[in-house]
Amino acid sequence: MIPVTKEEARILRELYPEYKVTRTMMQDSKRHHYYATESEGNMRAIASTNHLAAEIVARIDREREIRRN
């Protein structure tokens, strides 16, 4: 799971209504942090704003290219 911003979480919810973005608990000291699973669709949706998502997408593309050859 990677950390995402509130805006990125909103984008994921709009694109995938059935997807649930994980948020830390209210009583935890690190409140209001959002996390998304590392699935390809989610990562491609937020790759332009999240550097970790962009790295994951690049790795997926490299692995896919290796398999093709």
Side-chain angles (χ1 to χ4, degrees):
M1 297 195 57
I2 66 165
V4 295
T5 63
K6 187 175 183 178
E7 182 63 25
E8 292 166 343
R10 185 189 60 76
I11 291 169
L12 290 173
R13 286 185 189 116
E14 287 178 2
L15 291 175
Y16 305 104
E18 70 283 351
Y19 179 69
K20 302 293 183 204
V21 176
T22 304
R23 195 180 109 192
T24 55
M25 297 183 330
M26 296 290 287
Q27 62 266 33
D28 191 8
S29 62
K30 298 178 182 180
R31 290 187 248 201
H32 306 294
H33 289 117
Y34 298 86
Y35 296 91
T37 56
E38 297 176 4
S39 66
E40 183 178 359
N42 293 344
M43 296 300 104
R44 288 197 186 277
I46 61 172
S48 62
T49 58
N50 190 308
H51 73 281
L52 290 174
E55 290 175 10
I56 292 168
V57 168
R59 183 178 35 142
I60 290 170
D61 290 342
R62 278 194 307 270
E63 290 172 359
R64 191 172 284 153
E65 187 62 32
I66 289 170
R67 284 189 210 126
R68 285 184 190 158
N69 295 330

